[in-house]
PDB file of all heavy atoms in Angstrom:
ATOM      1  N   GLY A 102     -19.069 108.981  21.251  1.00 95.00           N
ATOM      2  CA  GLY A 102     -18.324 109.375  22.415  1.00 95.00           C
ATOM      3  C   GLY A 102     -19.135 109.102  23.590  1.00 95.00           C
ATOM      4  O   GLY A 102     -20.393 109.229  23.658  1.00 95.00           O
ATOM      5  N   ASP A 103     -18.438 108.784  24.804  1.00 96.00           N
ATOM      6  CA  ASP A 103     -19.111 108.808  26.162  1.00 96.00           C
ATOM      7  C   ASP A 103     -19.405 110.187  26.641  1.00 96.00           C
ATOM      8  O   ASP A 103     -20.222 110.422  27.553  1.00 96.00           O
ATOM      9  CB  ASP A 103     -18.213 108.011  27.099  1.00 96.00           C
ATOM     10  CG  ASP A 103     -18.158 106.571  26.679  1.00 96.00           C
ATOM     11  OD1 ASP A 103     -18.988 105.863  26.237  1.00 96.00           O
ATOM     12  OD2 ASP A 103     -16.888 106.011  26.802  1.00 96.00           O
ATOM     13  N   GLN A 104     -18.680 111.094  26.148  1.00 97.00           N
ATOM     14  CA  GLN A 104     -18.911 112.493  26.451  1.00 97.00           C
ATOM     15  C   GLN A 104     -19.102 113.275  25.184  1.00 97.00           C
ATOM     16  O   GLN A 104     -18.371 113.091  24.157  1.00 97.00           O
ATOM     17  CB  GLN A 104     -17.689 113.149  27.169  1.00 97.00           C
ATOM     18  CG  GLN A 104     -17.405 112.577  28.498  1.00 97.00           C
ATOM     19  CD  GLN A 104     -15.994 112.898  29.095  1.00 97.00           C
ATOM     20  OE1 GLN A 104     -14.990 112.750  28.346  1.00 97.00           O
ATOM     21  NE2 GLN A 104     -15.871 113.291  30.261  1.00 97.00           N
ATOM     22  N   ILE A 105     -20.099 114.083  25.135  1.00 97.00           N
ATOM     23  CA  ILE A 105     -20.584 114.802  23.914  1.00 97.00           C
ATOM     24  C   ILE A 105     -20.629 116.307  24.135  1.00 97.00           C
ATOM     25  O   ILE A 105     -21.336 116.717  25.069  1.00 97.00           O
ATOM     26  CB  ILE A 105     -21.956 114.226  23.439  1.00 97.00           C
ATOM     27  CG1 ILE A 105     -21.897 112.771  23.162  1.00 97.00           C
ATOM     28  CG2 ILE A 105     -22.447 114.961  22.111  1.00 97.00           C
ATOM     29  CD1 ILE A 105     -23.242 112.080  22.836  1.00 97.00           C
ATOM     30  N   ALA A 106     -19.882 117.016  23.319  1.00 97.00           N
ATOM     31  CA  ALA A 106     -19.932 118.461  23.535  1.00 97.00           C
ATOM     32  C   ALA A 106     -20.626 119.164  22.380  1.00 97.00           C
ATOM     33  O   ALA A 106     -20.591 118.663  21.234  1.00 97.00           O
ATOM     34  CB  ALA A 106     -18.472 118.957  23.617  1.00 97.00           C
ATOM     35  N   PHE A 107     -21.206 120.315  22.632  1.00 96.00           N
ATOM     36  CA  PHE A 107     -21.722 121.136  21.583  1.00 96.00           C
ATOM     37  C   PHE A 107     -20.927 122.319  21.487  1.00 96.00           C
ATOM     38  O   PHE A 107     -20.335 122.877  22.384  1.00 96.00           O
ATOM     39  CB  PHE A 107     -23.180 121.657  21.978  1.00 96.00           C
ATOM     40  CG  PHE A 107     -24.196 120.562  22.129  1.00 96.00           C
ATOM     41  CD1 PHE A 107     -25.441 120.843  22.803  1.00 96.00           C
ATOM     42  CD2 PHE A 107     -23.925 119.279  21.793  1.00 96.00           C
ATOM     43  CE1 PHE A 107     -26.349 119.822  23.026  1.00 96.00           C
ATOM     44  CE2 PHE A 107     -24.895 118.264  21.901  1.00 96.00           C
ATOM     45  CZ  PHE A 107     -26.125 118.647  22.621  1.00 96.00           C
ATOM     46  N   LEU A 108     -20.717 122.717  20.132  1.00 95.00           N
ATOM     47  CA  LEU A 108     -19.850 123.897  19.864  1.00 95.00           C
ATOM     48  C   LEU A 108     -20.376 124.582  18.623  1.00 95.00           C
ATOM     49  O   LEU A 108     -20.684 123.955  17.593  1.00 95.00           O
ATOM     50  CB  LEU A 108     -18.393 123.480  19.623  1.00 95.00           C
ATOM     51  CG  LEU A 108     -17.367 124.630  19.408  1.00 95.00           C
ATOM     52  CD1 LEU A 108     -17.254 125.475  20.729  1.00 95.00           C
ATOM     53  CD2 LEU A 108     -16.019 124.071  18.998  1.00 95.00           C
ATOM     54  N   ASP A 109     -20.509 125.912  18.665  1.00 92.00           N
ATOM     55  CA  ASP A 109     -21.047 126.681  17.468  1.00 92.00           C
ATOM     56  C   ASP A 109     -19.929 126.702  16.417  1.00 92.00           C
ATOM     57  O   ASP A 109     -18.790 126.784  16.670  1.00 92.00           O
ATOM     58  CB  ASP A 109     -21.451 128.094  17.862  1.00 92.00           C
ATOM     59  CG  ASP A 109     -22.761 128.089  18.629  1.00 92.00           C
ATOM     60  OD1 ASP A 109     -23.498 127.042  18.677  1.00 92.00           O
ATOM     61  OD2 ASP A 109     -23.086 129.195  19.213  1.00 92.00           O
ATOM     62  N   ALA A 110     -20.417 126.755  15.193  1.00 92.00           N
ATOM     63  CA  ALA A 110     -19.453 126.715  14.049  1.00 92.00           C
ATOM     64  C   ALA A 110     -18.729 127.948  13.862  1.00 92.00           C
ATOM     65  O   ALA A 110     -17.545 127.894  13.315  1.00 92.00           O
ATOM     66  CB  ALA A 110     -20.194 126.333  12.801  1.00 92.00           C
ATOM     67  N   ASP A 111     -19.154 129.107  14.340  1.00 90.00           N
ATOM     68  CA  ASP A 111     -18.445 130.304  14.103  1.00 90.00           C
ATOM     69  C   ASP A 111     -17.272 130.551  15.021  1.00 90.00           C
ATOM     70  O   ASP A 111     -16.556 131.458  14.813  1.00 90.00           O
ATOM     71  CB  ASP A 111     -19.437 131.566  14.184  1.00 90.00           C
ATOM     72  CG  ASP A 111     -20.149 131.527  15.516  1.00 90.00           C
ATOM     73  OD1 ASP A 111     -19.740 130.937  16.482  1.00 90.00           O
ATOM     74  OD2 ASP A 111     -21.269 132.186  15.612  1.00 90.00           O
ATOM     75  N   LEU A 112     -17.254 129.774  16.005  1.00 90.00           N
ATOM     76  CA  LEU A 112     -16.020 129.771  17.023  1.00 90.00           C
ATOM     77  C   LEU A 112     -15.916 131.058  17.659  1.00 90.00           C
ATOM     78  O   LEU A 112     -14.888 131.601  18.105  1.00 90.00           O
ATOM     79  CB  LEU A 112     -14.749 129.406  16.319  1.00 90.00           C
ATOM     80  CG  LEU A 112     -14.563 127.981  15.811  1.00 90.00           C
ATOM     81  CD1 LEU A 112     -13.166 127.750  15.559  1.00 90.00           C
ATOM     82  CD2 LEU A 112     -15.180 126.963  16.739  1.00 90.00           C
ATOM     83  N   GLU A 113     -17.120 131.693  17.923  1.00 87.00           N
ATOM     84  CA  GLU A 113     -17.116 132.837  18.805  1.00 87.00           C
ATOM     85  C   GLU A 113     -16.713 132.502  20.215  1.00 87.00           C
ATOM     86  O   GLU A 113     -16.283 133.380  20.940  1.00 87.00           O
ATOM     87  CB  GLU A 113     -18.411 133.595  18.756  1.00 87.00           C
ATOM     88  CG  GLU A 113     -18.784 134.293  17.471  1.00 87.00           C
ATOM     89  CD  GLU A 113     -20.189 135.033  17.472  1.00 87.00           C
ATOM     90  OE1 GLU A 113     -20.852 134.744  18.332  1.00 87.00           O
ATOM     91  OE2 GLU A 113     -20.346 135.848  16.632  1.00 87.00           O
ATOM     92  N   ILE A 114     -16.926 131.226  20.506  1.00 90.00           N
ATOM     93  CA  ILE A 114     -16.328 130.630  21.724  1.00 90.00           C
ATOM     94  C   ILE A 114     -15.274 129.679  21.242  1.00 90.00           C
ATOM     95  O   ILE A 114     -15.534 128.750  20.463  1.00 90.00           O
ATOM     96  CB  ILE A 114     -17.440 129.923  22.492  1.00 90.00           C
ATOM     97  CG1 ILE A 114     -18.550 130.870  22.928  1.00 90.00           C
ATOM     98  CG2 ILE A 114     -16.879 129.199  23.732  1.00 90.00           C
ATOM     99  CD1 ILE A 114     -19.745 130.174  23.614  1.00 90.00           C
ATOM    100  N   LYS A 115     -14.054 129.987  21.674  1.00 92.00           N
ATOM    101  CA  LYS A 115     -12.888 129.189  21.224  1.00 92.00           C
ATOM    102  C   LYS A 115     -13.007 127.695  21.605  1.00 92.00           C
ATOM    103  O   LYS A 115     -13.447 127.398  22.785  1.00 92.00           O
ATOM    104  CB  LYS A 115     -11.595 129.748  21.722  1.00 92.00           C
ATOM    105  CG  LYS A 115     -11.416 131.229  21.254  1.00 92.00           C
ATOM    106  CD  LYS A 115     -11.416 131.243  19.734  1.00 92.00           C
ATOM    107  CE  LYS A 115     -11.063 132.671  19.296  1.00 92.00           C
ATOM    108  NZ  LYS A 115     -11.059 132.862  17.790  1.00 92.00           N
ATOM    109  N   PRO A 116     -12.544 126.821  20.774  1.00 94.00           N
ATOM    110  CA  PRO A 116     -12.607 125.345  21.165  1.00 94.00           C
ATOM    111  C   PRO A 116     -11.737 125.000  22.331  1.00 94.00           C
ATOM    112  O   PRO A 116     -11.851 123.946  22.987  1.00 94.00           O
ATOM    113  CB  PRO A 116     -12.183 124.634  19.797  1.00 94.00           C
ATOM    114  CG  PRO A 116     -11.444 125.637  19.140  1.00 94.00           C
ATOM    115  CD  PRO A 116     -12.073 127.054  19.463  1.00 94.00           C
ATOM    116  N   ASP A 117     -10.763 125.932  22.703  1.00 94.00           N
ATOM    117  CA  ASP A 117      -9.873 125.535  23.862  1.00 94.00           C
ATOM    118  C   ASP A 117     -10.777 125.379  25.130  1.00 94.00           C
ATOM    119  O   ASP A 117     -10.375 124.674  26.103  1.00 94.00           O
ATOM    120  CB  ASP A 117      -8.983 126.854  24.118  1.00 94.00           C
ATOM    121  CG  ASP A 117      -8.196 127.170  22.861  1.00 94.00           C
ATOM    122  OD1 ASP A 117      -8.807 127.604  21.951  1.00 94.00           O
ATOM    123  OD2 ASP A 117      -6.943 126.965  22.833  1.00 94.00           O
ATOM    124  N   HIS A 118     -11.962 125.993  25.139  1.00 95.00           N
ATOM    125  CA  HIS A 118     -12.815 126.047  26.405  1.00 95.00           C
ATOM    126  C   HIS A 118     -13.346 124.548  26.598  1.00 95.00           C
ATOM    127  O   HIS A 118     -13.888 124.192  27.638  1.00 95.00           O
ATOM    128  CB  HIS A 118     -13.899 126.928  26.254  1.00 95.00           C
ATOM    129  CG  HIS A 118     -13.518 128.368  26.502  1.00 95.00           C
ATOM    130  ND1 HIS A 118     -12.943 128.779  27.693  1.00 95.00           N
ATOM    131  CD2 HIS A 118     -13.580 129.522  25.680  1.00 95.00           C
ATOM    132  CE1 HIS A 118     -12.670 130.089  27.629  1.00 95.00           C
ATOM    133  NE2 HIS A 118     -13.076 130.552  26.402  1.00 95.00           N
ATOM    134  N   ILE A 119     -13.291 123.697  25.511  1.00 96.00           N
ATOM    135  CA  ILE A 119     -13.691 122.337  25.726  1.00 96.00           C
ATOM    136  C   ILE A 119     -12.914 121.671  26.854  1.00 96.00           C
ATOM    137  O   ILE A 119     -13.416 120.886  27.598  1.00 96.00           O
ATOM    138  CB  ILE A 119     -13.616 121.565  24.390  1.00 96.00           C
ATOM    139  CG1 ILE A 119     -14.621 122.095  23.479  1.00 96.00           C
ATOM    140  CG2 ILE A 119     -13.854 119.975  24.660  1.00 96.00           C
ATOM    141  CD1 ILE A 119     -14.562 121.435  22.003  1.00 96.00           C
ATOM    142  N   HIS A 120     -11.607 121.899  26.837  1.00 96.00           N
ATOM    143  CA  HIS A 120     -10.815 121.403  27.911  1.00 96.00           C
ATOM    144  C   HIS A 120     -11.165 121.899  29.342  1.00 96.00           C
ATOM    145  O   HIS A 120     -11.064 121.153  30.273  1.00 96.00           O
ATOM    146  CB  HIS A 120      -9.335 121.778  27.647  1.00 96.00           C
ATOM    147  CG  HIS A 120      -8.705 121.196  26.386  1.00 96.00           C
ATOM    148  ND1 HIS A 120      -8.332 119.908  26.377  1.00 96.00           N
ATOM    149  CD2 HIS A 120      -8.372 121.741  25.199  1.00 96.00           C
ATOM    150  CE1 HIS A 120      -7.769 119.647  25.071  1.00 96.00           C
ATOM    151  NE2 HIS A 120      -7.874 120.636  24.479  1.00 96.00           N
ATOM    152  N   ASP A 121     -11.635 123.175  29.254  1.00 95.00           N
ATOM    153  CA  ASP A 121     -12.074 123.737  30.619  1.00 95.00           C
ATOM    154  C   ASP A 121     -13.375 123.004  31.132  1.00 95.00           C
ATOM    155  O   ASP A 121     -13.572 122.593  32.269  1.00 95.00           O
ATOM    156  CB  ASP A 121     -12.431 125.158  30.448  1.00 95.00           C
ATOM    157  CG  ASP A 121     -11.196 126.034  30.079  1.00 95.00           C
ATOM    158  OD1 ASP A 121     -10.140 125.650  30.495  1.00 95.00           O
ATOM    159  OD2 ASP A 121     -11.390 127.005  29.362  1.00 95.00           O
ATOM    160  N   LEU A 122     -14.252 122.655  30.145  1.00 96.00           N
ATOM    161  CA  LEU A 122     -15.530 121.917  30.512  1.00 96.00           C
ATOM    162  C   LEU A 122     -15.245 120.505  30.855  1.00 96.00           C
ATOM    163  O   LEU A 122     -15.814 120.000  31.901  1.00 96.00           O
ATOM    164  CB  LEU A 122     -16.460 121.947  29.355  1.00 96.00           C
ATOM    165  CG  LEU A 122     -17.527 123.233  29.352  1.00 96.00           C
ATOM    166  CD1 LEU A 122     -16.739 124.480  29.203  1.00 96.00           C
ATOM    167  CD2 LEU A 122     -18.518 123.010  28.156  1.00 96.00           C
ATOM    168  N   LEU A 123     -14.164 119.941  30.289  1.00 97.00           N
ATOM    169  CA  LEU A 123     -13.786 118.540  30.674  1.00 97.00           C
ATOM    170  C   LEU A 123     -13.222 118.464  32.065  1.00 97.00           C
ATOM    171  O   LEU A 123     -13.551 117.617  32.864  1.00 97.00           O
ATOM    172  CB  LEU A 123     -12.802 117.970  29.586  1.00 97.00           C
ATOM    173  CG  LEU A 123     -13.344 117.608  28.232  1.00 97.00           C
ATOM    174  CD1 LEU A 123     -12.152 117.392  27.284  1.00 97.00           C
ATOM    175  CD2 LEU A 123     -14.310 116.338  28.350  1.00 97.00           C
ATOM    176  N   ARG A 124     -12.365 119.519  32.342  1.00 96.00           N
ATOM    177  CA  ARG A 124     -11.799 119.569  33.696  1.00 96.00           C
ATOM    178  C   ARG A 124     -12.916 119.769  34.683  1.00 96.00           C
ATOM    179  O   ARG A 124     -12.870 119.315  35.850  1.00 96.00           O
ATOM    180  CB  ARG A 124     -10.702 120.701  33.810  1.00 96.00           C
ATOM    181  CG  ARG A 124      -9.370 120.304  33.192  1.00 96.00           C
ATOM    182  CD  ARG A 124      -8.310 121.301  33.546  1.00 96.00           C
ATOM    183  NE  ARG A 124      -8.559 122.529  32.869  1.00 96.00           N
ATOM    184  CZ  ARG A 124      -8.102 122.942  31.785  1.00 96.00           C
ATOM    185  NH1 ARG A 124      -7.472 122.081  31.017  1.00 96.00           N
ATOM    186  NH2 ARG A 124      -8.462 124.143  31.414  1.00 96.00           N
ATOM    187  N   ARG A 125     -13.799 120.676  34.486  1.00 96.00           N
ATOM    188  CA  ARG A 125     -14.905 121.049  35.385  1.00 96.00           C
ATOM    189  C   ARG A 125     -15.764 119.816  35.609  1.00 96.00           C
ATOM    190  O   ARG A 125     -16.229 119.519  36.721  1.00 96.00           O
ATOM    191  CB  ARG A 125     -15.789 122.158  34.722  1.00 96.00           C
ATOM    192  CG  ARG A 125     -16.836 122.670  35.775  1.00 96.00           C
ATOM    193  CD  ARG A 125     -16.333 123.307  36.878  1.00 96.00           C
ATOM    194  NE  ARG A 125     -17.372 123.994  37.572  1.00 96.00           N
ATOM    195  CZ  ARG A 125     -17.307 124.323  38.894  1.00 96.00           C
ATOM    196  NH1 ARG A 125     -16.179 124.060  39.527  1.00 96.00           N
ATOM    197  NH2 ARG A 125     -18.283 124.910  39.498  1.00 96.00           N
TER     198      ARG A 125
END
Side-chain angles (χ1 to χ4, degrees):
D103 295 321
Q104 296 166 311
I105 300 175
F107 298 166
L108 185 67
D109 286 346
D111 54 21
L112 295 194
E113 287 184 342
I114 299 176
K115 299 300 182 185
D117 307 70
H118 286 299
I119 294 176
H120 294 287
D121 299 329
L122 269 63
L123 288 169
R124 281 193 294 270
R125 184 68 172 158

